[in-house]
Amino acid sequence: MSRRLLVGYASAAVVLGIAPLFLDPYWVDVLNSVGLYALLALSLNLILGDAGLFNMGQAAFYAVGAYTAAILSTQLHVPILWALPVSGLVAALFAALVARPVIHLRGDYLLIVTIGLGEIVRIALVNDVFGLTGGANGIFGIARPSILDHKIRRPQEFFYLIWAFVALTVFLFHRLEQSRFGRALNYLREDPVAAEGSGVNTARYKLLAFALGAGWAGMTGSLYAAKMTIISPESFSFWESVVVFLMVILGGSGSIPGVLLGAALVVMVPEFFRGLASARMLFFGLVMMVMMVVRPQGLLPLRAPRFKRSDLPRAEPAPGAAPGGAK
Amino acid sequence: MKTATRLSLVLILAAIGSARAADTIKIGLLAPLTGSWASEGQEMKRNVELLAAEQNAKGGLLGKQVEVVVEDDGGDPRTASLAAQRLTTRGVVAVIGTYGSAVTEATQNIFDEAKIIQVANGSTAVRLTEKGLKYFFRTCPRDDEQGRVGAAVLAKTHAKKVAILHDNSAYAKGLADEIKEGLKGKPVEVVFFDALTPKEQDYSAILTKLKAAGPDVVFFTGYYPEAGLLLKQKRQMGWKVPFIGGDAINNPDLVKIAGVEAAEGFEFLSPPVPKDLDTAEAKAYVAAYQKKYGEAPSSIYGVLAGDGFRVVAKAIEGAKATGADQLREYLVNGLKNFPGYTGKISFNAKGDRVGELYRVYKVDKTGGFALQP
Amino acid sequence: MEQFFQQLTNGLAVGSIYALIALGYTMVYGVLKLINFAHGDLFTLGAYLGMTLLTSLLLQDRLGTAAGLLLLAVMVMGLVAVTGAVLERAAYRPLRESPRLSAVVSALGASIFLQNALMLVYGARYQVYPDILPQNAVSLLGLTVPVVRIAVVLVSVGMMAVLYLFVQKTKVGTAIRAAAIDQGAARLMGIDVNRVIRLVFMIGPALGGAAGLLVGLYYGQVNFTMGWTYGMKAFTAAILGGIGNIPGAMVGGLLLGVIEALGAAYLSIAWKDAIAFFVLILILIVRPSGLLGERVAEKV
């Protein structure tokens, strides 16, 4: 990780750390919203940015996680923080199951399938599938999280919980980028045929990326459920998937700091312009169209490795050249 | 690093924007100013602002001017919870709102924890007042009351087979369930219970299926756009079985969508519409509204918001305080038969409005809504 | 048994509207390999324009119902066609050489933009068409079928037939087909591919606009979110029939309409919309080339 990035993260951490002391609960809650969306955007980034899979149904996995946590909390009285990994697991398994038959589809087709999937999940939730989801009413009475007997209730308390999770996620995902898994994903995004030819089992890695991204979205869902204490199908509509997709594209697909910036902008800008709420979506549409023409790589894209002059002395001499000979 | 700069900007702006103390009594209004129910939200705002102005002309409350703080809940729970949070930071002593049970539910805990009185005007789900929330009240009736009235209306039609159709929304399904409950033990068979998808156009498939079930009457608990289409397509099919609707049907556009011939004879339940409010003060209020805004109020829920404001104002005057506990005490015990524009208002310990509000309306030959005795 | 046939006619009527919209998707995809997400909103635009023109010009009063409607249809189709061409020029032409994701995002952005523009102009509430079509029903083979339902099917099938003949028999139609097969080769043959693309972006949306007008007249009610549902279903229909394949879109549309109607009748109404999505996913897994069409999946 570059020095600049580390400095950026450190300063952001400091500012965020002291923010709740200065802001009123409303703005803290806005930052909570940013945090949750940042988690979602990071999870989608794994699927869309790193693996290059067009996914516009992330809300479905978000919903699966949220509802799993809600059901565990209200029916089985499982403390919500224990339900967190379970929701992630359920969402990941669900994703693996539904993605398996379609993972080989070409870009725009996968996109449409994920949209369809998102809608099916939403309709299933509204129709109270298996009698568990409460239909359009949703599920209410979800317990608040408690750490060491301290119940987390106020926005300021949730702030630290959510952003701690964000920090953990950022750290883990950066490590993942550098790992073999991350490199394989990059490879298969850039050139699937070459990757397959080099022995990378593209189908398996794509599925893993999908499942991991979905699982993370699922965990975010359980955080959301704990915070709102009631969840209903309206919060998991196609529009949610579009918003998260937009955050990734706007910030820079594949770039973790870019995605964080995208999340912050998309959540906070409308809060400053609350009066123009109805024009907000119009603006989003316009931004999407313009961005693709003007800056398709996003605001903070991945930096492609650049060869600088200062790298020259470290470069090896070409084979056959006079050893130690300089020109 | 850009993130850090932006966050610093947020902090600065937020510090500037924090609520400043002023010498007014602030009453909040949470309403769907945008989104699918924007028309309801706009009326709620108009009603409350008119009443606040009238109150201020009379000298305000406890010697201070009344200020209405409006926040948009967008008709969806998440926006609503943010809006509610925002209201709690603005120093409001009570909040009127909102429309839509799921939306209100998302805000209940926030106001309860902040110890702010909440008076909902358009949220009829039964469970909202079954949670033991001390500071929550509502001026609108509950779905179980509508269910009872609905079942009674159905019984009066002497129908043997009834079909119940809803649209899977929280409100419509709740009402459909209540009506089904209300029919238990009566010699009526429910031959059909299913949901249509709102915002669609083509209900011919559903109507054909309904027809095949052979009901004597169909009760539709959804909203007016779908009801209008159902009536219109039913007529196209030549099917004459009568339809009855719940209170979400109450909107003049129903007749526009269905066409007068298709809508004629259709009955629905509703609290009285503004033009049928029969007390002298109510009529005077409707006239004042007409004068200020150029048209009469069309939605009863807006007027219910107005009544919500009036009971809060009365509670503040009666308790001579603005603390939540004193206001609650007054609303439950001190306020008896308050002359609201929508009828007499008293609250029980759960926060529900006491009394029967629902009436039956029928669409007449000219497409108007006629109140049935 | 009667219910089955009634539902069948319902399905055919709805399906023919899906087919009209699907044609727009399939033509654009054939030539540009792009899913025009904004197509559903062009359909909605047609419905709204129809309403505005109908209520302001009152052509049906001046020229009689049939002639008035015909003129109205021509106007609506023309206006939507122009919008389609503008859309192509503004949102898609600059991205011709860019990676596919950019075009997809831009299409989505265009869709969101159009939909909300319509909402801001016309309001979020449902808008109503004046009642000008005959509301009576006729007896057909023992069933009572509304006249308008039959009219919708006939008009749609008629337009599709005209399009098919145009694409198969005329020089311009052949140029379109050539560009769909291979843009580069078509250019070498002297075909002005840019013009072909612009033409496709006028014909497809024109048909979509006509479908919008039909829907407005038939159901009497329009709403700015119409485009989303109809668009998704029409797209499913296009895939069902084989994307890029014009007869495929027609078959797919009618078939989807019937499947939906029968599914609603015999399974559950509440899941009606999900049926379309299930069909979509199923087709893409089992037979991605669609019933009549080309290969779309690349197995890696």
Side-chain angles (χ1 to χ4, degrees), chain A residues 127, chain B residues 194-195 209, chain C residues 262-273 275:
Chain A
N127 285 334
Chain B
D194 205 340
K209 194 172 179 186
Chain C
L262 293 177
Y266 296 110
L267 295 174
S268 162
I269 313 174
W271 290 84
K272 187 151 85 91
D273 277 353
I275 293 176

Side-chain angles (χ1 to χ4, degrees), chain B residues 43 265 360:
Chain B
E43 284 223 10
V360 180

Side-chain angles (χ1 to χ4, degrees), chain C residues 175-252:
Chain C
I176 295 179
R177 278 185 292 138
I181 293 175
D182 189 328
Q183 270 193 30
R187 229 177 248 126
L188 289 174
M189 295 295 126
I191 295 175
D192 182 346
V193 171
N194 276 340
R195 263 185 61 186
V196 165
I197 294 178
R198 194 177 337 135
L199 195 61
V200 163
F201 263 94
M202 290 177 76
I203 299 178
L207 289 171
L213 180 62
L214 264 177
V215 162
L217 289 169
Y218 183 34
Y219 296 113
Q221 192 210 64
V222 294
N223 169 262
F224 73 99
T225 58
M226 270 164 55
W228 162 240
T229 327
Y230 275 99
M232 264 294 130
K233 297 198 184 161
F235 185 73
T236 305
I239 301 251
L240 183 60
I243 192 94
N245 184 314
I246 289 178
M250 303 185 209
V251 167

Side-chain angles (χ1 to χ4, degrees), chain B residues 39 168 192 194-195 197 199-202 204-206 208-209 212 225-226 229 232-233 236 251 253 256-257, chain C residues 3 6-7 10 14 125-126 128 135 146 215 219-221 225-226 230 233 264-265 267-270 272-273:
Chain B
S39 55
N168 253 338
F192 183 97
D194 205 340
T197 315
K199 301 229 163 145
E200 269 203 1
Q201 315 273 61
D202 193 294
S204 41
I206 295 160
T208 310
K209 194 172 179 186
E226 289 76 32
L229 284 173
K232 182 174 186 182
Q233 290 172 16
Q236 273 177 353
N251 189 303
D253 279 351
K256 248 191 2 174
I257 296 171
Chain C
Q3 209 210 140
Q6 278 284 13
Q7 296 290 23
N10 288 336
V14 177
R125 298 169 72 160
Y126 291 85
V128 177
Q135 294 292 330
V215 162
Y219 296 113
Q221 192 210 64
T225 58
M226 270 164 55
Y230 275 99
K233 297 198 184 161
L267 295 174
S268 162
I269 313 174
K272 187 151 85 91
D273 277 353

Side-chain angles (χ1 to χ4, degrees), chain A residues 11-51:
Chain A
S11 35
V14 166
V15 172
L16 282 174
I18 58 173
L21 304 171
F22 292 104
L23 297 174
D24 64 35
Y26 165 67
W27 283 105
V28 173
D29 223 17
V30 171
L31 286 176
N32 282 342
S33 209
V34 171
L36 285 174
Y37 271 109
L39 286 169
L40 279 176
L42 285 169
S43 70
L44 183 64
N45 186 43
L46 198 59
I47 302 175
L48 177 64
D50 289 336

